[in-house]
Amino acid sequence: MLDLFGQAILDFYTQNNPQPLLTETSISEEDEMDVAYLFRTYKNMPQLEQKALQLAKGKVLDIGAGAGCHALDLLQKGFDVTALDHSGYAIEACRLQNIQHCVQSSVLDYNPETQFDTLLLLMNGTGIFGKLNQTALYLQKLKSLLNPGGQILIDSSDLIYMFDEDEDGGHWIPDNGYYGELEFTVYYKGQREQFPWLYLDYNTLQNAALANGLHCELVAEGKNYDYLARLTV
């Protein structure tokens, strides 16, 4: 695995010849991502992310921590935070920013000695599920990481707006699988990496949560079909 996202994060932070990071998906054209945005402070975060950070409690696990902006904000507020990411480059960037508790691992392979009160999965947190049929596997794993009374704060978007609408208000959706299953492609320094990435509409997430013994609450909705949900046992 090339880990181009992580490489771009570390290159930017260490000023190691950083270059533009290009992304595209199976339903959207190539776009340049501003890597500086991944290091944003609280005031520059979308309202849904700000709301998630406001709701954080107790011992926190930031899953898919990336450049560490959410973990850093909570650390500055006095929380006990662990940053988790499969990317070694991203975890190195977190360490360089003095995030002391950092773990390089996929969430499925992560087996901590203690559980957490809050699991954070932000910037389309459902993305790491990859495919719809992987959702139950991931929800069960997340559930196992929770202390009694703990919570999962996760965001995503309903991509229905990306598809053409007919005169009756319906949408033309391909019949080759769930419409939120995308192939995500990253280009960086002449290299290309592709991986599955899942956007879940809220109703689908809610149904999956209930099927896996989790209560699902819609906390807030954004302006672009995005939402923040809280899952509890």
Side-chain angles (χ1 to χ4, degrees), residues 46-215:
Q47 286 187 339
L48 294 185
E49 292 181 18
Q50 292 180 347
K51 182 65 175 177
L53 295 176
Q54 291 167 16
L55 291 172
K57 64 178 184 178
K59 189 176 181 181
V60 179
L61 178 64
D62 183 7
I63 298 172
C69 63
H70 303 117
L72 275 172
D73 179 76
L74 292 175
L75 281 171
Q76 291 164 4
K77 294 172 180 173
F79 283 86
D80 178 352
V81 184
T82 297
L84 179 75
D85 204 291
H86 70 86
S87 165
Y89 294 120
I91 288 299
E92 179 61 21
C94 288
R95 289 196 179 105
L96 289 172
Q97 295 172 89
N98 296 317
I99 300 175
Q100 294 185 345
H101 298 135
C102 298
V103 179
Q104 180 190 353
S105 174
S106 71
V107 67
L108 292 179
D109 293 331
Y110 181 49
N111 296 299
E113 294 181 0
T114 59
Q115 273 65 46
F116 297 86
D117 303 300
T118 298
L119 307 182
L120 276 184
L121 295 95
L122 301 178
M123 283 195 78
N124 187 45
T126 66
I128 63 169
F129 301 173
K131 298 286 187 180
L132 183 62
N133 63 10
Q134 293 277 92
T135 301
L137 175 66
Y138 276 88
L139 289 178
Q140 286 294 334
K141 179 62 180 186
L142 295 176
K143 187 177 173 182
S144 76
L145 295 173
L146 285 177
N147 277 325
Q151 61 178 351
I152 302 165
L153 298 171
I154 187 168
D155 66 355
S156 193
S157 300
D158 184 351
L159 296 188
I160 194 70
Y161 75 94
M162 297 283 287
F163 297 88
D164 292 333
E165 189 172 342
D166 62 29
E167 57 188 18
D168 297 322
H171 290 82
W172 294 97
I173 299 172
D175 59 2
N176 58 346
Y178 175 63
Y179 65 85
E181 291 181 342
L182 304 185
E183 283 296 316
F184 201 93
T185 306
V186 180
Y187 302 91
Y188 186 65
K189 290 188 173 180
Q191 294 183 293
R192 175 181 180 273
E193 183 177 18
Q194 192 171 49
F195 48 88
W197 196 244
L198 180 66
Y199 288 85
L200 275 183
D201 67 277
Y202 176 72
N203 286 339
T204 300
L205 175 64
Q206 184 181 46
N207 289 336
L210 291 173
N212 287 278
L214 290 161
H215 173 72

